[in-house]
Amino acid sequence: AVFKDLKGVTWVMSGYAGGHVPNPDYHSVCGGGTGHAEVVQVKFDDAELSYADLLRVFFTIHDPTTKNRQGNDIGHQYRSIILALSDAQTATAKDVMKEVSDAKVWGPAPLVTELEPIQVFYQAEPEHHDYYARNPFTGYCQVVVGPKVAKFRKQFADRVKRG
């Protein structure tokens, strides 16, 4: 939901990556046996949004200091991970990770974000696409997603798409 609101982002897709089982589905990923993480693939116009700035938003909307956990969601599928498309993206990600660590954005805890090249991305099932936009009043969206969207809109007000 946050990335769809970010100026320069042209496409966002929920999915799974970083695992060892071909064509995983939501239930197998959530079961933890596929090795995949729940991820989003983001396409953006680098004339309007730098990869570094995209990553700065990424590091403000989730806790990159808790290993295999995001809030109440626990397991390897909830790890903080960046799956880079190129050596240049890997280098930029390392620079931004150092910047976030040095700034102690998340306090003294070290970042546990994994960084590796993308091998394959699997789109999530259709019911997961645009989940927040279609289900804003569910408990999960109210308690987890909504506050992240609000934090992004406040902290990056100048980067929110209008209209």
Side-chain angles (χ1 to χ4, degrees), residues 46-129:
D46 58 7
E48 189 172 1
L49 174 68
S50 71
Y51 183 59
D53 283 344
L54 178 70
L55 291 175
R56 289 180 184 106
V57 170
F58 168 75
F59 280 113
T60 62
I61 61 169
H62 84 289
D63 184 347
T65 67
T66 54
K67 187 156 180 74
N68 297 332
R69 180 179 191 147
Q70 291 302 313
N72 290 331
D73 293 327
I74 300 171
H76 193 63
Q77 65 273 29
Y78 301 112
R79 67 194 182 272
S80 176
I81 189 168
I82 298 168
L83 297 157
L85 294 172
S86 66
D87 291 342
Q89 283 192 351
T90 297
T92 299
K94 286 179 181 177
D95 290 345
V96 172
M97 289 169 72
K98 182 177 181 341
E99 173 187 311
V100 170
S101 289
D102 290 350
K104 301 205 182 312
V105 171
W106 289 94
L111 297 185
V112 296
T113 302
E114 296 176 12
L115 173 58
E116 57 188 62
I118 184 75
Q119 298 300 316
V120 63
F121 171 84
Y122 298 100
Q123 280 191 17
E125 297 79 359
E127 61 267 24
H128 300 288
H129 303 179

Side-chain angles (χ1 to χ4, degrees), residues 10-60:
T10 58
W11 185 82
V12 179
M13 181 59 62
S14 297
Y16 320 110
H20 57 271
V21 174
N23 301 307
D25 62 20
Y26 178 76
H27 294 292
S28 62
V29 171
C30 287
T34 69
H36 291 88
E38 291 186 9
V39 298
V40 291
Q41 186 178 62
V42 179
K43 294 184 181 179
F44 61 98
D45 177 354
D46 58 7
E48 189 172 1
L49 174 68
S50 71
Y51 183 59
D53 283 344
L54 178 70
L55 291 175
R56 289 180 184 106
V57 170
F58 168 75
F59 280 113
T60 62

